[in-house]
Amino acid sequence: MNTTSLSALEIARRVRAGELSALQVLEEHLAQVAAVDGIPGQLDPPALDAREEQKVHAFIQVTAELARQQAEQVEAKVARGEDPGPLAGVPVSIKDIFCVQGTTTTAGSRILYNFRPPYTATTVERLEQAGALILGKTNLDEFTYGSSSESSAFQPHPNNPWNTQHVTGGSSGGSAAAVAARETPLSLGTDTGGSIRQPSAFCGVVGLKPTYGRTSRYGLIAFGSSLDCPGPLARNVSDAALMLQVLAGADPKDSTSATQPVPDYLAALAEGVRGLRIGISPDYDHIAYPDTETGEMGIQAIQPEMNQAVREVAQVLASLGAEIVENVPMPNARHGIPTYFVISRVEAASNLHRFDGVKYGYRTQKPVHDLTELYRVTRAEGFGLQPKLRILMGMYVSAAAHSAHYYQKALRVRSLIRADFEQAFDPTGPYRLDALLTPTTPTTAFRRKEVLGDSVLMQYSDQMTVGANHAGIPAISIPAGLDPQGLPIGVQFFGNDFCEDLILRVAYAYEQATELAAWRHVVPQALRAAEVK
Amino acid sequence: MLPEKITREMFDKLVSLAALELDEEESEYLRTELNHQLAAVKELSEIPIDEDVQPSLHGIDCQGNPPRPDEWQPFPDPDAILALAPERERRYFVVPEIAQLSEEGQ
Amino acid sequence: MTQYEIVVGLETHIQLNTETKIFCSCKADSWGAEPNTNICPVCSGLPGVLPVLNAEAVQKAALLAAAMHAEINPISYFDRKNYFYPDLPKGYQITQFDEPIGKGGYLDVHMPDGSTRRVHIHKLHLEEDAGKTKIEAGRRLVDFNRCGVPLVEMVTEPELHSGEEAAQYLTELRQLLRWIGVSEADMERGHLRCDANVSIREAGSTVLNTKTEIKNMNSIESIRQAITLEAQRQIAAVEAGERVESYTLDWDADTGTLRKMRSKETEADYRYFREPDLLPVKLSEEEIKYIKSIFVEPGEVTPPQPSHDLKSKDISFGVSISKPTLTQIESPYNRKMRFIAEYQLSTYDADILTSERSLSDYFEEAVRLSSAAPKTVSNWMMNDLLRLMNDLGKSASELRLRPTDLAEIIGLVESGKISPATGKALLKKVEESGQKPAEIVAAEGLGLIGDEDALRSQIAAVLSESPNEVASFRAGKESLLGWFVGQVMRRTGGKADPKRTRELLLEMLKK
């Protein structure tokens, strides 16, 4: 049996027991990459033929040598009878927003095309220490700005393995695609407005955004510093739990990282949902969408399969003994995207100030007369449209004359969004939820280029996910079926602060109860095309 | 009274402050998108909000780590940082001079 | 003739003497280091890294706030100040904008004319230093060694009225900074930086007119000169019917002139917002009370315990409030006044002995241990100990010769066991060897010969060798007594007890 069809848990178990060689695991996964991925994302790609169009293109860089060294170390430890770690021999891909010494870290941008960081992100270090094999850096929206991974400066951008004419979602699109296409069982992504959960939903995999601060941001190239969360993508819930266990915990290099104790995420996984209270909110069965000329907000229906999936998941959980609590009000959900437009852009614009061609990365080759021109031309040439858009928006809404109106107000609306969740989870409140169940996205994966030019429409893809980023709470997206086009549908569970174990447990119960569902055994198009067993 | 839309003039100024420069096509596209986004955030100003609602800097009540002890821990490889420089001389990062100052001088 | 009043406000940046930078663990002091050797990913603005606050920087800032009688804010915040400049690697500076660690405050400055002026500061805040750049062949060379060093910024109200007053403020500020151990405050090394805002108005007016800003003054004397010069320039301009324009001026110490740098830009929009990578700076009520309690007001509490071994590290709070209260700190001025009153020192002596904290602690400890009068101890320190310290380049706390040793030496001289000259020489011997004074005296036989028989035999030898002088003395030339004493001294290598020698000589000469 090819190890690409094994779960991470199973690979680790067998490697640790000496039943499976880490090097074999590595070679089989590299072969999978070679079979399905096609050419990696690059700055000056060649024209693509029809065959390449069917490829996944999850990666910017495959780090085979690095992974081989790691596999050898795992083997050596196993041979010596030493503990090789909980992820021994498990191939992991890393979103190219994480600094990893020994690789280039591009953030999907020309401005960092040659950046080789002299340090490694804490989350990646922990994976390495756990015995994981770092297989490569996955493609993403440039600087994580986007919900389709199309905006990367490294093309071709990733394609959805279920239908390569459709997007993976973003910004952790390469990560979601790599997992869905069995290139790695695990991937490390980031979630700022939904960037783990939305592509996970589009690609039919499990994606978890932990509580803010649960995983360290050290080494993660920042987008929205008060919103960014590193987290796992996996093909099943227990793998996600296993990876979270390795990642979670305080880091002295990150002042905002949480010192709350880390529970055992695997231990309680199978405890079931009997007696748990799972809420459903009418504010999450549609989206509030603005008229982009007048700003007038209107209601827009979401794809009907999404609400249907929520119903079906609720039914399954109810049959397992959970209590479904209907009509949980989340009145401030509708403000999620406007608030996000302001807060994330202010932080992003500031975080991008340091990319100026002085210290590292891209510097323009054109002759310049002075420093100001150096800054302008370098940034103009180095940044794509999405970073430029975020910089301009961020600067506008934080300008002294506008700050109170936009930025300060948005920070206060954020409190309102948080208050909705606090009320929902309050153990002495009216709802006393253990989890809140919603669709993950308003639609399934849209077609390539369909949304890219419309920045508002693109952002609204995150309307259901963004609330967790504002409130700081954890949330998980899991597959819940396929739509009539055969594209994955995802549902989401929100949880209370640091209650990742609870939402993992709920997700696991649903997953186990539907193990035999037909849709779980459909093979994604890209895998069929490659005819890999 | 805040402007309803960003004019071309305001936009160009913003671009300059952002240390960017854009061609005509990019400018028009980005300005349009910017105005769409401003329309989308317009509703924020209309949300009624109590005086005592505080701004949230991080959604959760971020306790985080305490400040660190004052102990020297040199970075093991400062040369690796210097090696990243697009232009360097001896041990310095090199940039062109700032126009304003070199012109005004005396 | 219109009388003009000069109006001066000072903006000071104080480099804290912590071990490490404010947001990373590189060294705070890298004076003399090769460029870009004292850097790490955090202070050189690499992507993905995060600032981590230095606890000691907070403690020192709080201590300074208390010393400046400022209100210490139990919660203060860091903000980002966004702008582009090559010495600012992140493209923003982390500073405190609207909720600083200290609010209000003042320093009582003792002016040369004997008056005391209370100079107020608006606030006191923490921020990180930028790197250094220099121009070479039309390009800028950038060094990040200094980037991230912790600074405290204090801006005075426009309450100073001359270059002299500004110089006096800085002199007392510098003394205070060293006194409480938060900064070395060496202006030449940039530990204390000062820009001056200068304007003029008609005497008696309270209006604030257009001001110019003077930068690049690297010594207190420069500040005095530059402000005086600029005030003169403004007065001359106004008298000639011109307007004073708002300029930034660069002081050239070599030529003693001011040069226009650029017109003061319209205030740039720094788009301040709360730094999301850092948490609010919190000081508990107990911590604040403790910090404030360190400062002793005149008339309060008894003389403090010796603090010459105290490093600011010893004052650590937030960790264990149950630690016993360490040294209480009197302000330099209060201590000077107390020395004059309690020890009957002259103003001059008290000035010198309180110029530096470890020196004044040393003095007080020596007084405590010595049975001699404080004035005697003061003389020993002012004349001999200070010279030794200068020669060796050591501060009082760095000497191996401790107050107890000094007290012992003074005691040996006072009781006649050694001559004053021996005593002075002993200072250096103890310092070099680390041995106790009594040990050295015994080992080298430095004790004065007070034994009568020994003296008599020495005297007899001198008298027999100098018959002419003996005859002259007996004939009436009594001034030769001193010469005889000198001869005895020569014979005994200076060890004869001068007093006893004199007595015995007289006795034996008169026979």
Side-chain angles (χ1 to χ4, degrees), chain C residues 216-230:
Chain C
N216 202 29
M217 300 170 289
N218 294 328
S219 68
I220 294 185
E221 181 53 25
S222 292
I223 288 165
R224 194 194 61 74
Q225 278 179 31
I227 291 173
T228 307
L229 198 67
E230 173 58 9

Side-chain angles (χ1 to χ4, degrees), chain A residues 276-318:
Chain A
L276 292 185
R277 291 170 63 82
I278 303 186
I280 298 185
S281 172
D283 295 299
Y284 273 90
D285 66 14
H286 61 274
I287 55 173
Y289 195 79
D291 179 314
T292 52
E293 289 303 314
T294 66
E296 190 140 336
M297 295 294 276
I299 306 291
Q300 232 181 64
I302 63 176
Q303 196 173 326
E305 287 82 27
M306 310 321 236
N307 286 325
Q308 188 177 340
V310 167
R311 297 252 132 253
E312 284 168 6
V313 171
Q315 268 166 25
V316 171
L317 293 172

Side-chain angles (χ1 to χ4, degrees), chain A residues 77 83-86 124-132:
Chain A
K77 278 192 173 158
D83 183 354
V124 178
E125 244 176 33
R126 288 182 180 176
L127 290 170
E128 288 176 331
Q129 278 158 17

Side-chain angles (χ1 to χ4, degrees), chain A residues 119 219 350-351 354 359-360 400, chain C residues 45-48 80 82 89 92 269:
Chain A
Y119 48 89
S350 177
N351 284 329
R354 66 186 69 194
K359 310 163 295 279
Y360 44 79
Chain C
L46 263 52
R80 291 193 187 176
N82 299 280
Y92 56 86
D269 184 357

Side-chain angles (χ1 to χ4, degrees), chain A residues 333-361:
Chain A
R334 54 185 292 144
H335 305 309
I337 294 298
T339 307
Y340 186 72
F341 264 132
V342 174
I343 297 176
S344 70
R345 272 49 171 178
V346 170
E347 294 178 352
S350 177
N351 284 329
L352 289 182
H353 257 61
R354 66 186 69 194
F355 302 104
D356 54 11
V358 173
K359 310 163 295 279
Y360 44 79

Side-chain angles (χ1 to χ4, degrees), chain C residues 395-437:
Chain C
S395 72
S397 54
E398 288 165 342
L399 291 173
R400 289 168 88 174
L401 177 82
R402 301 315 307 151
T404 181
D405 303 317
L406 178 63
E408 196 184 321
I409 293 172
I410 295 173
L412 287 170
V413 171
E414 296 279 295
S415 64
K417 297 226 175 53
I418 58 174
S419 68
T422 304
K424 289 172 202 286
L426 259 180
L427 293 174
K428 194 164 175 213
K429 287 186 206 259
V430 170
E431 181 61 24
E432 276 168 7
S433 67
Q435 286 183 281
K436 297 275 135 220

